Each structure stands twice: as C-alpha cells, then as structure tokens.
Amino acid sequence: MGLNSLLGIGSSALGSSQTAINVTGNNIANANTIGYSRQSARFQEVRNPEFTAGQLGQGVKISEVYRNFNRYIEDSYLERSSTYNRWEEQQSILQSVQSIFNESNTSGVSYALGEFFRGWQDLSLRPEDVSTREALLSNAETLANLIRNAKQGLDRVQGEMDMYINQSVGEINGLLGSIQKLNLEIGARDIPGISNANALKDQRDQEIRRLAELIDITVEDNGGSDFTIRTKSGHPLMEGTNIYSLQTSVPRTENDLRPASKYDGTVVIDGQDSHEYHFEVVHPPRAASTNPPVDAANGQMRVSLDGGKTFLRNDDGSEMLVDIPTDADHRIKVKDLYVSFNADPTKMVAGDKFSVVPKSGLYWVSPTRPPLNVTPQTLASGEDNPGRITGGKLAAYYNVRDQNVGRYMDKLDALSNTLIWEVNRIHSQGGGIKSSGHVMGSYSAANTSLPLADSATGITYGNRLTQGNFSLQIYDANGKPVEGLPRAIDFDPTTDGTQNFDPEKHSMEDVANAINRTYPNHVNANIVDGRLQITATNSGETFVAHNDSSGVLAALGINTFFQGDSAASIGINETIRQNVSLISAGKVNDDGTVAAGDNFIAKGMCDLASRSVKISTTWESVDMTLGAYYGTTVGVVGSETKSAMVNADYNGTLADDLDERCSAVSGVNLDEEMTNLIKFQHSYTAAAKLITTADQMIQTLLGLKQ
Amino acid sequence: MRVTQRSMYNSMLGDMQSTLSAYMESVTQGSSQKRLNRPSDDPAGAARVLSYRGSLTQTNQHVTNAGTANGWLGTADSTLLSAQNLLAQIRVKAQEGATDTYDADQRMAMAKEVRELMGALMNLANNKHEDKYIFSGENTKTAPYQEGLTTTVHKGTSTGEPMQVTGSLSRTAMVRFAGDGQVPSQVPPSPPAPPGTPAPDMDYSWSEDGGKTWKQGTIPGGQNYFDVGSARVTVPAGSSLDVKQGYNAGTVPLNPMELDTGSTIDVRPTMIYQGSDNNAVPTVTPYGPIDFPAGTKFNATGKFANDTLVRFDADASQVAAGGTAKDVPYSYSIDGGATWITGNKATLQPGSSGTRLVLPGGFVDVNLAPGASISKDTQLSVKPQRTNLEFEILENQYISVNNIGKDIFGGLFTPKGSNNLQAATGKENGNNMFETVGKLVAALENNDRTAVGKCFDEIQESEKNVLYHTADIGGKMNRISTTLDVLEDHKIDQRTRLSAIEDIDFTELMTNLSQQQTAYQTVLKSSSMIMQLNLMKFM
C-alpha cells in the first residue's frame, strides 16, 4: 500500500465530488423544468483488491446518476389525470352549453313559450282585432326563433366536438409515434444501473402524461424499451416498439349473426343520430309457403340503445318490438334515421343482431382484425361502458356530443314536435275571420300513394292519425256560406254511406280524390311536390277546412299554425304569416260562419298551456305540460353541468394531490440543493486537502535522502 | 413530506385561484342580486324558477283578462241601469195613458215621447265596449238592434209563421177588412165552387192617423201581401191570416170600432235583433256510414259547452223484438278527437231502433233508419250553437262577458233555420221589452186606453227582466272582484316562492364576501412571506 494510493483516493474523491456538484448544478438549473426528475449521484466505495490487511478501500466512484421517480405514484396520477381531464373538459364545455338554456337573468325559450300562450290569451280577449293577431304572430315567431337558435347553438357545439375529436385522435396517434421513437432510443442507450437514459425517460413520461390527458391509459414498465401502453378497456396502444392507432369513422353498421342464420345482406341506414342502435331479431319474418301452408308473417325485433344490455320498453313496461322492414322500400324511421335491410329478411333467425352507429365513431385499429368500436357509450344505468374509452378529453368530447348535447337536442326536438302537433291539431278545428281560396299543405310526402300511417310516406305525424273525418266549408264571393253541401267527406265511393278516413288505408292521393268527389263544383284538390293543394275553382269563392276528428289536416299542414316538425324546422305556416286574419280564433258555426267575437279556439290554445301532453323521445315518454317539460330540460342541463363540475373538482383535488406526491419525489428543493452544494464543496475541499497532504508526505519522503 | 419548489408554487397558485374564484362568484351574486345565475347553480331550483315564472305570467294574464272582463261587464251594467231608468219613464207614461183624463191628442204627444224613449233604449242596446257590441252575442261587429215594423192582430187569427212587415211608417197604422176572409184569400169551401173559380179579392182600409181618416185598398185573390202606406205586410208562404169583417163593404170605417167584432191589425214599430243566440238545437253530423240507408235521425238535446265528437267502438245492428238487448259501446272527445274518453255504453233494446248516448252537457238520440246499423269507428260530430264570449280568469275558470240582447231587450229575431222574424220570447210575454214598448206606442197612437193599460202591466214584467239581468251581471262583477283578490294573493305567493329560490340572502352574501376577502388576503400575505424565504439569504 503506497502513497500513490492516497493520491488515487484523493483524486477519486475530487472527481466524484465534482460530478456530484455537477448533478446538483443540473438540478438547480432544471428546478423549473416541467417533467424534470431530480437526479442524484450514487457514490460507491472503490473496493480493495483484497491483498492488504484490513481491506482498506481505494476511494470513491460515482456508480450511476439516477432520477428520483416513483412509477407507482405516477401510474395513480395518470389514471386520476385521465378522469380529471375528462370532467374538467366536460364541465367547461357544458358551462357554455348551459348558457344556451340559461334564463336566470335573460329571457329564453321558457319565457317565449309563456308569451306565446299569452298571445293566445290576448287573442281570446279580442278575437277580431288584427293588431292582437299580429302580436300573437310575432310572439310565435320569437318562440320559433329561440327554439331554432337553441338548436343551432347545440348543433355548433356538436360540430366543435367533432373537430376536437379529430384533433385529439390526431394528437393521440402523434404522441404514440413520438413515444415509440423515444422507446427505441431508450432501448439503444439505456444500460440500467450504469448509464441511465434519465432525460429520455423523463421525456417519455412527459409524453405519457400528455397522452393520459386525452385518453384513459394504463402503463406497464418492464425496464428499457419493454414498455406497454393500453387503454383502460384493455386495447393495446403500444407494445414495446409496435404501435396501434385510433381512428374516427363515418357511420357504420355491423352484423352479428347466429351460426344458423342465412341472412346475406347488411342493414342500411340513412341519416344521423347520436345514439348507437342494436337490433336483435325476436320473431324472424316468415315467407308465405304452400307446403305446409303458412301465411307470410312480419318479423319483429327489439331495440337497445346501450349495446344490448337493456332494451327499450313500451309505456306499459312491455318490451318494445319493431317490425322488420320487408324490403329496401320499407324503412323504420327513428327520428331522422331510416333503417332498412338490403337482402331477404326471411333468412334471419331469432337472435341475429345488427348494430348501427349512425354517427362518426371511434375505432381501435390493429393490423390483424377489423376496426373495433371503442366510442364512449353510457349504459342505461348511467355508467360508462367499461369496454369503451371512458377517460380523458376524448371521452369528454364524445360524451358531450352524444350523451349531453345529443339528448338535449332530442328533448328540444320532442318539445317542438309536440308543440307543433298540439297547436296545429287545435288550430285546424276552427276558422279565421277571413278564409282563403287557396291552401297549400306544409308537409310533403315522399310517397303520395302509400297509406299515411306508413312511415315510408315521410309524413312526420302520420303515426298520430286516427280514423275520422273533417269538413270543408265553402263561402261564396260575398263571404256567405254556400249551403246544401255535404258536411263530411266520403273516402270510399264504392261503399254505401259516407266512409271515414282511415290512416291505414288512405294515402294523400285518396284524400285529394275524396275532397274532389265530395265538393266537385267548388274546389280542386291536387298534389304538388308531395304536398296537398286545395284551390277554389269558382272565382271569388273561398273555403276553410275544419272540424277534423282524424288529425289529417294537422298532419298535412292544412289550416295549421306552425310548420315543421323539429327544433330545427319549427316556423310559422306561410299562409298564416302572410295573412293573420286566417289565424283560427273561433269555431266554424253550424251555419258555416265564423263569428267575429268568437274565441273558442283561442281558449283551447290557452288551455294547452296548462294541459299535460305526451312528449316522447326515443328513450323516454312523459306526460307533462310543455312549459314544465322545458323546465325539466333546463334542470337536466343544469344538473349534468353541476355533476361535471363536482366531478372535475373532486378528481382535480385528487390529481393535484397525486401530482404533489410525484413532485415530492421528483421535484427539486433549492434549499436542499444549496445544502448539497455546500456538502459536496466541502468534500471537494477535503479531497484537495488529501492530495496536498499526500504531496507533503511525498515531499517528506523525498527529503529523507538529503 | 418533501416540499419542492414546484409543489410550493403550484399550491400557492391553486390557493389563490380557488379563493379568488369563490370571491368572484359572490361578487356576481351581489351584482345580479341573485343566488341562481346559471342552471348548474341549483338545477332543481332552475326548473322551479321557470315554472313559477310561467305561473306568474299566467296569473298576470288572468289579471288582465279579469280586467278586460270587468270592462265589458261594467259597460253592460251601466247600460242596463240606464235602461231601467228609461223603462221607469215609459212606465209612468203608460200609467198616465191608461187613465181616462187624457184625450187622443194628449196620448199622441205621449206616444211621441215613448217613441223617443224607445229609440234611446235601442241606442243603449247597441252600446259598444272597445268598439264591440256587447249585446250582440259573438257577432260583436254587428249592431244588435235596428228599427223595424211588425203587426199586432186584434180579433183575428194568424196561423203559421208571423206576418212580416217591410218598408216604413212614421205612425202606427190600423188595418180593417170589408168582409170575413183569409189572406191569401181562398175559394170558399162551401158551397162548393166549380173548379177553376178564382179566389175572391178582398177590400181593406187603413188609417195612419188613429182612425180619423181612412184609405182604401184591395188584395187580389190569392195574393199573400197587402200594402199599408209605404209599408208592405206579407203573410209568409204556408201561413195564413183569418180576419173578421171590420166595416161594411162600400163604406169607409170612420170609427175604428164600427163593428166591434171586426179584426184590426196594427202595423207598429218594433226592434229587430241581429246578433247571435244560444237557442238553436245542436246539429249532429255523422262521419261514416251510419246514415245509410238514408233516414237515420240524430237529435241532440242539452246545453253542450263544446263541440263534441262521439265514436262508436263496436258494430251494432237493430235487434228484432224478443231478442236480447245489445250494448253500444262509445267514446267521446271534446277536443276534436285528440283525446277520447272511452268506456261509455248505450243499449239497443229489442224491437227498438233508437238509443241514447249520454254526453257531457246533454245527450244524443240516435234513431236508426230501417236496415241501418251502427258500424265501428263511425263518428258523430255534435256542434252546439254557443255564442258566449268567455275569458279565462283563473285556470280553467271562465266568465262569460257578452250578452245576448234578445234575452234582455226582446224584439224580433230570425231563428236558425227560418227566414222569418218572430218575437224573441212568447208573443204575449211581458219579458219582451221592445215588443211591449212597441205595443204601447201603437196603443197610445191609436188612442186605445185598454191596450195602454195592458201594456202598463207588461212593462213592469220587462223591468223585472232587465233587473234580473242587471243582477246577473252584478253577480259576475262581484265574482271578478273576488277573483282579483285571489289572483293578487297568488301573485304575492308566487313572487315569494320565486324570490326564496333565486334571490340572494343579502346578509349571508355580505358575510361570505368579507370572509372570502379575508381568506384571499391571508393567502396573498402568507405566500409572499414564504416566497421571501430561502437558504441563500442566510449564507
């Protein structure tokens, strides 16, 4: 053991202290670098080669520079961060959505609805007054405008969500790409315990944090590049150096057939909707056969909005069954969505399932199998479907688009649809203070020869029709009722007596023909552009259609107040807008006149304000007044916003706490670094002293000779 | 726990953010004076606020409606009070005219006065509120009354529809006939005349000055009208007027009472009602094949408040005598078929062709033609004639504000389904004010003391009738004033509830504000204190 070894020890201490000071310096420099993990130098004693007594050490060395990082806390943080980011994003979007419904300090749809009915009340006080009629018209316009605006506002939010979704999916795929690159580099450079790729790992964790903000993930770190990222639902996004991707897709359908099924077509959709539909065949359709003799039978299927977990029910609690369309011309209509089958449905067997995603969905793409639907979905119980994406901003965008805004739109549509029908139904019973010689129906049919109850006619209110009849009162050029004309319309000349309208039998063409047959010398009914048009044939003559027990006038838009059938299309009937005298305030009397002071119809409208009516969306059906329905809709918007806020708050606190625990491990404390700096500086000074001491000892040794 | 620079700064920032945002929320509440500024502040409350605001709008509207109704009824009330005054004056004239102390000229002067009063009564009956006639039923744009002429037949028989008078007369005219006969005249049945014998002519005289002077006229055989000065009296088709000889043929009756068994016809003033009424029987229109084969009859009876639809829910045919009675299930709808009240049942008895359907406000009797049957889904549309203008003054409570003039003032009117005028109420009934006053004018102008005396009694009846209607209107006004009290209570109640939900508690807000201010100051102070500290300061 020589003096040189003392010099060696001194020099190793000098070098190690210097490295430690460098590490401390790097920590101080990166005190505010986001994602930086505090690094420490690991000092290790240089061992003695074991030929001296006492196994005295040979100095010190820096075995590695490692980062202070706790994978367990980081994973907990990632999970919480996904949830937090979802709710935070959801609450901030819903805050702006609820402003569409906010009437706390301004007036909105609810106020306009009140004013609309107030307009009818005023008209009931002064039925003959044109200015009161104008005021009613402008109240109704305001209501229609506000409803349309609300709908446009919601449309805009949905549009923004689609944009954000595409951006986020792009960002996710981009992040996966850059994580893959980092992973490759870590694999090449990282030698655990000797040369740690600290900066690369910090970068990778930082990218993963960004990924977790967008989508819920779990991470599995087996060291080096053996690193796996999965969605929480279990779909791998990255395995080592292989990456998968997510993609958005246009509306799609999928078959899930029983092995015995021979059905060889697909389900065809037209239109969009914010729900996913699952159809399951309960009774397969049957073709007619002569041997053994059986009649053809319509098939039936049940419908689920949550992927087959629960099925829609009728008002009486029984399972709702819809008829299976027999061919491509017969389509099921669900709101604005048409569903049909493009092959022979008699080949289906019970249990065949068809899923329809009539909106742009999110799919997980792997090279070996068809894209898998991972679009966030809410089950009937209100829980998120765990097999889909449930966290991160992406889930927020989908949830807002489909679950929140989609449902608000459905509710707004249901409200408008019912409002239009109920108002028109009452309106078409009476007459205005003037009548007109030409009326154009406001609803058009795609097919004018099918019975009106058939959804393929495209007449929105066809399913609300009942058997019944109506009257046409004709007035001469002086406005006096023409006497001696039939009071009811005969819908079937081949059967004796006056036959009623039957929605299952009579088409729009039949209605036109029946009118022409019943009043041959006074009016001419024909169909223009799928709409029913009635024109008085004698000059100066006018007419009013009224006293309708079937609803056919309201369904075709004759003598109606509103036109349209949804929140987007609600408007005032053109005929009425051009001539307010045509607004029905009174009934048509027995002698055919409408008295100037009669307020019978106006009173019926006022009554509608406080009458419970049936308002239905695809997933619920309630009996409520129109005002109360809108009120509860606002309540729902408020409570969903509030619940998002509470969730964001709660998860935010937890995420902050976890982040704090991460930074407790990985963060830099300047006081600590200052202390370390002093500590290592002292070590350095002492090591230098060791060398001078060795030098003096050598000098002493060399001085012995003199 | 290890504290790091990042966590320290993050937590200081977070604390500042959260205290400041709570503070700003309170500031917003202070500026809007509302606790509820967006639906998420209190979702259930937001829905309730909208509901209360809706009720408040409705209550305010009901107040407006009640006010408007009060306007109508107030006008009617004061009009009827004035009418009572005028009637009292007319009664005094009738009383005077019935005494022996006055002669023809003096009665003539009274008649002039009564004519003026009658005109004044017509003006009252034609009174308007907001430019709408209040005694015209729902025909608010048509004046309810216009002047007209009618006849009173003394000692003669008018069968069928009453006589119609057109044209005008400035004074009551008397008509007498030169022989027994009929208008239009007929060939006498005995002794039997040879076929083709023309109906005889009939001579008549008339006087327009109370019988002082007479003019002559002849009604050609078979003609159903005769002229009296500038007026024409028509006997409607299918009706006839039997008269007794009033003077000897060839002479002119100088004394109206020349033959006191003879008929006299007064052509006298009256008022004609032009408005609408509630009298007509509701019409029933079948929707569907029930009227086949033709001959099936429907009679609706009762006071239907609404247009009513009836629907048969099963087929039913007539049962031969001895068979078993058959149920006829039916439903009805009072909202044009939008909702149906089901589960009603009528019965077709064996051997009977008819059944009765009981409905709200009345019933419909169906009398099937031989061979006709009831088919499922056939409907009956029952349209009553209602002329009441009703305003809603409380939810689903209506008050009728207009009046049917003919029920108060009488006069003549044209009933539904007829072209001829007839008296509004029974001809001899004193309830008919305008007819009574018209008769008084005739009696005074004709110097007929007994008839004047009779009119005096009838006028008292008319006064009672007007008083009855005044009381009815007064009752409605009372109802409105109590309703207004109720509405005012509702308003206060709704405002209080609304305020409890959406308004801030000011004391609480101020306390919160000062607490939040203190909290924010504390965070700022402590943060700045911590930030000043670090190890470097002590080295």
Side-chain angles (χ1 to χ4, degrees):
Chain A
M1 186 143 182
L3 269 176
N4 276 340
S5 101
L6 184 60
L7 266 178
I9 290 173
S11 110
S12 78
L14 210 55
S16 297
S17 299
Q18 199 177 335
T19 311
I21 288 173
N22 279 350
V23 170
T24 306
N26 194 37
N27 281 345
I28 293 172
N30 284 299
N32 292 314
T33 306
I34 293 175
Y36 176 78
S37 300
R38 178 169 59 98
Q39 295 178 2
S40 306
R42 196 184 302 283
F43 286 82
Q44 196 179 25
E45 186 189 4
V46 177
R47 277 198 288 155
N48 187 296
E50 290 187 35
F51 50 75
T52 53
Q55 297 198 12
L56 185 68
Q58 292 299 302
V60 68
K61 68 169 182 183
I62 301 289
S63 65
E64 64 170 342
V65 176
Y66 62 93
R67 60 184 190 134
N68 292 277
F69 183 80
N70 186 327
R71 174 55 64 191
Y72 172 74
I73 302 175
E74 179 71 11
D75 284 352
S76 313
Y77 170 76
L78 288 179
E79 186 187 347
R80 195 53 72 183
S81 161
S82 292
T83 318
Y84 163 68
N85 274 289
R86 172 200 166 164
W87 288 114
E88 173 61 22
E89 200 67 6
Q90 202 157 329
Q91 70 100 2
S92 92
I93 301 165
L94 286 180
Q95 291 264 22
S96 67
V97 171
Q98 77 164 343
S99 71
I100 296 174
F101 292 92
N102 190 6
E103 287 188 43
S104 300
N105 302 311
T106 50
S107 43
V109 172
S110 174
Y111 173 78
L113 193 65
E115 287 297 292
F116 170 68
F117 285 119
R118 216 172 59 80
W120 282 105
Q121 286 275 12
D122 281 339
L123 188 64
S124 85
L125 302 180
R126 293 169 188 87
E128 73 299 323
D129 185 24
V130 174
S131 59
T132 309
R133 283 165 179 264
E134 293 285 0
L136 165 67
L137 187 70
S138 94
N139 285 355
E141 293 257 23
T142 311
L143 173 64
N145 263 332
L146 284 174
I147 291 180
R148 284 201 304 268
N149 283 348
K151 168 77 172 149
Q152 279 161 11
L154 294 176
D155 274 338
R156 208 160 34 237
V157 174
Q158 281 197 333
E160 279 168 12
M161 289 309 108
D162 275 330
M163 203 171 72
Y164 291 168
I165 285 168
N166 285 329
Q167 285 171 357
S168 308
V169 169
E171 207 180 331
I172 288 168
N173 290 333
L175 280 170
L176 285 173
S178 70
I179 293 171
Q180 182 203 26
K181 271 200 208 93
L182 285 167
N183 227 13
L184 279 170
E185 253 185 279
I186 290 169
R189 298 228 192 135
D190 187 59
I191 310 163
I194 298 166
S195 172
N196 294 316
N198 287 333
L200 287 172
K201 284 182 176 169
D202 275 352
Q203 253 185 57
R204 186 174 66 185
D205 282 317
Q206 200 51 31
E207 299 286 72
I208 288 171
R209 276 191 173 208
R210 282 177 60 197
L211 189 62
E213 285 175 15
L214 294 170
I215 187 172
D216 51 332
I217 47 168
T218 57
V219 171
E220 205 180 303
D221 185 1
N222 292 322
S225 62
D226 189 358
F227 197 85
T228 311
I229 303 174
R230 288 197 179 80
T231 64
K232 217 163 148 198
S233 52
H235 304 106
L237 294 174
M238 190 184 84
E239 278 173 328
T241 50
N242 297 327
I243 54 166
Y244 302 83
S245 65
L246 293 177
Q247 75 178 40
T248 56
S249 156
V250 290
R252 289 168 53 102
T253 66
E254 224 168 87
N255 295 359
D256 178 10
L257 304 177
R258 311 280 304 170
S261 178
K262 303 245 170 355
Y263 183 69
D264 52 2
T266 53
V267 50
V268 179
I269 52 168
D270 183 9
Q272 293 229 337
D273 194 81
S274 51
H275 290 97
E276 289 180 26
Y277 291 88
H278 268 71
F279 298 103
E280 184 179 329
V281 176
V282 179
H283 306 298
R286 197 173 59 208
S289 145
T290 44
N291 184 32
V294 278
D295 292 335
N298 265 340
Q300 285 182 314
M301 49 193 185
R302 49 185 188 163
V303 187
S304 167
L305 296 181
D306 57 1
K309 299 234 167 17
T310 58
F311 289 87
L312 295 182
R313 295 189 172 271
N314 291 318
D315 291 345
D316 59 7
S318 61
E319 201 160 71
M320 191 176 95
L321 294 175
V322 295
D323 284 349
I324 298 176
T326 46
D327 54 57
D329 283 342
H330 288 83
R331 311 192 287 182
I332 315 172
K333 188 175 185 221
V334 188
K335 286 194 54 180
D336 291 333
L337 181 73
Y338 290 95
V339 178
S340 61
F341 291 96
N342 59 2
D344 181 10
T346 58
K347 290 181 180 167
M348 294 175 186
V349 296
D352 279 357
K353 291 180 196 129
F354 301 93
S355 70
V356 171
V357 187
K359 56 182 178 180
S360 101
L362 184 66
Y363 293 85
W364 175 72
V365 188
S366 90
T368 51
R369 51 152 293 159
L372 189 77
N373 187 0
V374 290
T375 320
Q377 187 182 38
T378 305
L379 302 180
S381 57
E383 290 164 28
D384 295 322
N385 184 345
R388 304 284 181 85
I389 299 299
T390 54
K393 289 182 181 173
L394 196 57
Y397 300 143
Y398 273 108
N399 270 307
V400 168
R401 188 190 76 175
D402 300 339
Q403 193 59 29
N404 303 120
V405 173
R407 294 204 163 201
Y408 307 157
M409 274 182 170
D410 284 355
K411 275 173 171 276
L412 208 54
D413 277 337
L415 175 78
S416 317
N417 188 285
T418 308
L419 171 74
I420 294 170
W421 171 255
E422 295 292 340
V423 167
N424 286 352
R425 192 78 175 71
I426 297 171
H427 193 270
S428 62
Q429 301 297 329
I433 44 176
K434 293 224 172 75
S435 51
S436 128
H438 173 259
V439 166
M440 184 80 168
S442 54
Y443 295 102
S444 73
N447 184 332
T448 56
S449 56
L450 279 177
L452 288 173
D454 193 321
S455 65
T457 54
I459 292 282
T460 324
Y461 294 113
N463 57 349
R464 298 213 189 209
L465 293 176
T466 55
Q467 293 193 20
N469 216 315
F470 63 92
S471 289
L472 212 57
Q473 178 62 49
I474 312 221
Y475 301 95
D476 64 19
N478 300 323
K480 291 266 174 293
V482 175
E483 285 172 16
L485 294 175
R487 285 173 181 277
I489 291 170
D490 187 5
F491 280 86
D492 184 2
T494 58
T495 310
D496 295 314
T498 311
Q499 297 296 328
N500 279 346
F501 167 79
D502 182 346
E504 303 290 342
K505 271 200 295 212
H506 296 119
S507 65
M508 191 186 272
E509 283 163 14
D510 293 329
V511 175
N513 292 338
I515 294 173
N516 288 336
R517 262 198 316 274
T518 311
Y519 305 100
N521 301 318
H522 294 280
V523 293
N524 175 38
N526 57 348
I527 292 168
V528 181
D529 227 5
R531 302 199 281 166
L532 181 66
Q533 174 182 258
I534 311 177
T535 318
T537 44
N538 302 335
S539 119
E541 279 195 355
T542 57
F543 61 88
V544 61
H546 67 103
N547 214 29
D548 176 18
S549 66
S550 60
V552 69
L553 295 178
L556 297 183
I558 307 278
N559 189 12
T560 49
F561 187 83
F562 282 121
Q563 62 184 28
D565 58 10
S566 63
S569 59
I570 185 170
I572 313 295
N573 191 330
E574 284 305 321
T575 323
I576 289 215
R577 197 215 289 267
Q578 283 154 18
N579 187 355
V580 288
S581 300
L582 296 178
I583 293 176
S584 296
K587 66 205 174 286
V588 178
N589 279 326
D590 198 31
D591 57 7
T593 56
V594 177
D598 187 5
N599 66 358
F600 188 70
I601 297 294
K603 255 177 10 189
M605 293 287 185
C606 305
D607 181 49
L608 178 59
S610 51
R611 183 153 57 85
S612 283
V613 290
K614 188 168 161 177
I615 306 175
S616 305
T617 56
T618 34
W619 75 92
E620 67 171 6
S621 179
V622 292
D623 274 300
M624 267 191 191
T625 66
L626 293 162
Y629 186 78
Y630 184 76
T632 53
T633 306
V634 173
V636 168
V637 175
S639 69
E640 288 185 357
T641 309
K642 188 171 182 182
S643 115
M645 286 162 73
V646 170
N647 270 312
D649 219 27
Y650 169 72
N651 287 299
T653 315
L654 291 186
D656 281 352
D657 186 48
L658 284 167
D659 190 33
E660 205 149 295
R661 282 176 58 197
C662 285
S663 75
V665 176
S666 307
V668 176
N669 181 331
L670 287 177
D671 296 339
E672 180 185 311
E673 299 303 328
M674 289 308 293
T675 319
N676 280 344
L677 193 62
I678 292 162
K679 181 171 88 184
F680 294 131
Q681 201 180 356
H682 280 253
S683 296
Y684 188 82
T685 316
K689 196 73 187 168
L690 213 55
I691 289 171
T692 26
T693 310
D695 178 47
Q696 282 166 2
M697 283 165 76
I698 291 169
Q699 290 296 334
T700 312
L701 205 61
L702 290 177
L704 286 177
K705 198 178 148 212
Q706 289 164 353
Chain B
M1 174 154 166
R2 233 183 124 250
V3 176
T4 65
Q5 242 59 34
R6 201 171 83 205
S7 61
M8 195 165 75
Y9 286 119
N10 278 349
S11 93
M12 281 192 288
L13 267 177
D15 288 346
M16 277 186 244
Q17 276 298 333
S18 65
T19 45
L20 191 56
S21 87
Y23 187 49
M24 287 316 290
E25 178 64 34
S26 296
V27 170
T28 311
Q29 288 186 352
S31 73
S32 69
Q33 292 288 308
K34 281 195 178 133
R35 182 178 79 77
L36 215 167
N37 286 301
R38 45 193 92 70
S40 58
D41 291 345
D42 178 359
R48 290 220 307 279
V49 162
L50 292 183
S51 145
Y52 283 127
R53 283 195 197 157
S55 337
L56 204 54
T57 312
Q58 202 178 23
T59 307
N60 281 329
Q61 183 65 39
H62 285 149
V63 172
T64 312
N65 292 6
T68 314
N70 225 357
W72 279 75
L73 294 171
T75 314
D77 188 53
S78 58
T79 308
L80 290 188
L81 281 176
S82 314
Q84 283 179 34
N85 284 336
L86 294 181
L87 266 180
Q89 291 179 42
I90 292 173
R91 170 164 45 82
V92 172
K93 294 292 155 206
Q95 203 171 13
E96 286 172 14
T99 55
D100 278 334
T101 44
Y102 295 95
D103 63 10
D105 288 342
Q106 283 164 320
R107 289 213 173 84
M108 189 62 216
M110 284 179 203
K112 277 213 169 96
E113 218 170 314
V114 175
R115 263 186 192 269
E116 288 303 318
L117 290 170
M118 190 177 175
L121 276 174
M122 185 188 79
N123 287 341
L124 285 179
N126 285 349
N127 209 352
K128 290 194 219 174
H129 175 71
E130 289 185 353
D131 205 32
K132 282 172 285 196
Y133 294 102
I134 55 173
F135 293 112
S136 202
E138 61 185 12
N139 292 356
T140 51
K141 287 291 183 193
T142 315
Y145 282 100
Q146 66 182 38
E147 291 178 4
L149 292 172
T150 189
T151 55
T152 315
V153 182
H154 302 286
K155 295 175 184 159
T157 325
S158 169
T159 48
E161 298 270 330
M163 283 176 279
Q164 307 294 308
V165 187
T166 52
S168 64
L169 283 177
S170 55
R171 211 185 135 165
T172 306
M174 275 191 284
V175 183
R176 303 212 102 193
F177 296 88
D180 290 357
Q182 206 176 37
V183 182
S185 61
Q186 307 283 320
V187 181
S190 61
T197 312
D201 294 350
M202 188 186 283
D203 287 335
Y204 68 102
S205 302
W206 82 88
S207 165
E208 286 182 73
D209 53 8
K212 284 193 192 117
T213 59
W214 292 82
K215 288 173 190 149
Q216 303 273 1
T218 303
I219 311 171
Q223 181 176 293
N224 70 336
Y225 61 84
F226 53 94
D227 290 335
V228 178
S230 51
R232 171 171 290 182
V233 180
T234 312
V235 179
S239 308
S240 63
L241 170 70
D242 286 295
V243 293
K244 294 267 183 292
Q245 186 182 6
Y247 63 97
N248 290 318
T251 68
V252 175
L254 292 175
N255 177 356
M257 304 304 159
E258 185 175 350
L259 288 174
D260 58 6
T261 54
S263 301
T264 310
I265 294 173
D266 292 341
V267 183
R268 60 164 173 86
T270 189
M271 295 294 168
I272 296 166
Y273 181 64
Q274 313 278 324
S276 58
D277 62 72
N278 273 343
N279 288 29
V281 176
T283 11
V284 182
T285 311
Y287 281 179
I290 194 174
D291 59 342
F292 178 82
T296 297
K297 288 194 174 61
F298 310 97
N299 286 308
T301 319
K303 290 196 164 186
F304 290 90
N306 294 295
D307 283 2
T308 309
L309 274 170
V310 184
R311 184 184 68 198
F312 293 106
D313 293 333
D315 290 341
S317 51
Q318 299 172 50
V319 190
T324 38
K326 202 168 268 176
D327 281 343
V328 183
Y330 66 96
S331 308
Y332 62 84
S333 165
I334 52 171
D335 55 5
T339 51
W340 291 90
I341 290 100
T342 53
N344 308 288
K345 212 188 285 174
T347 316
L348 263 172
Q349 293 295 344
S352 154
S353 61
T355 187
R356 173 170 287 187
L357 313 171
V358 181
L359 301 169
F363 47 83
V364 173
D365 286 320
V366 181
N367 215 326
L368 294 167
S373 60
I374 292 168
S375 327
K376 183 173 182 290
D377 288 325
T378 291
Q379 295 169 5
L380 301 177
S381 151
V382 182
K383 272 184 101 57
Q385 186 164 344
R386 296 162 318 261
T387 200
N388 297 339
L389 179 55
E390 289 179 331
F391 294 170
E392 192 181 51
I393 52 170
L394 271 177
E395 196 173 318
N396 289 323
Q397 283 195 34
Y398 298 91
I399 196 158
S400 162
V401 297
N402 61 343
N403 285 286
I404 299 157
K406 82 171 181 59
D407 294 344
I408 304 173
F409 304 109
L412 301 184
F413 83 116
T414 317
K416 189 185 141 198
S418 166
N419 292 318
N420 296 317
L421 292 166
Q422 67 179 44
T425 41
K427 203 162 198 177
E428 301 308 320
N429 194 330
N431 282 351
N432 194 327
M433 183 190 88
F434 276 131
E435 279 286 273
T436 305
V437 177
K439 275 188 250 174
L440 176 65
V441 169
L444 288 170
E445 285 178 349
N446 293 343
N447 195 20
D448 184 346
R449 194 183 56 77
T450 343
V452 172
K454 212 169 135 209
C455 289
F456 172 70
D457 295 338
E458 289 186 2
I459 282 169
Q460 284 178 317
E461 287 299 313
S462 301
E463 280 187 281
K464 271 189 209 157
N465 187 38
V466 172
L467 188 65
Y468 164 74
H469 279 99
T470 319
D472 184 35
I473 287 167
K476 281 183 189 166
M477 289 174 76
N478 277 342
R479 190 177 146 206
I480 288 177
S481 87
T482 38
T483 305
L484 280 171
D485 289 345
V486 172
L487 286 172
E488 206 52 47
D489 285 350
H490 279 194
K491 243 181 6 190
I492 293 168
D493 186 46
Q494 283 155 351
R495 285 218 183 102
T496 318
R497 282 157 189 265
L498 194 58
S499 166
I501 300 170
E502 66 173 359
D503 290 350
I504 43 149
D505 179 338
F506 200 68
T507 331
E508 197 183 308
L509 177 75
M510 291 319 286
T511 321
N512 282 349
L513 266 175
S514 69
Q515 273 175 359
Q516 282 152 353
Q517 202 173 6
T518 318
Y520 186 48
Q521 278 169 351
T522 316
V523 170
L524 288 179
K525 183 92 182 169
S526 60
S527 301
S528 74
M529 276 162 67
I530 291 173
M531 275 189 267
Q532 281 162 12
L533 290 176
N534 64 53
L535 191 57
M536 262 85 74
K537 283 205 151 180
F538 305 95
M539 288 192 345

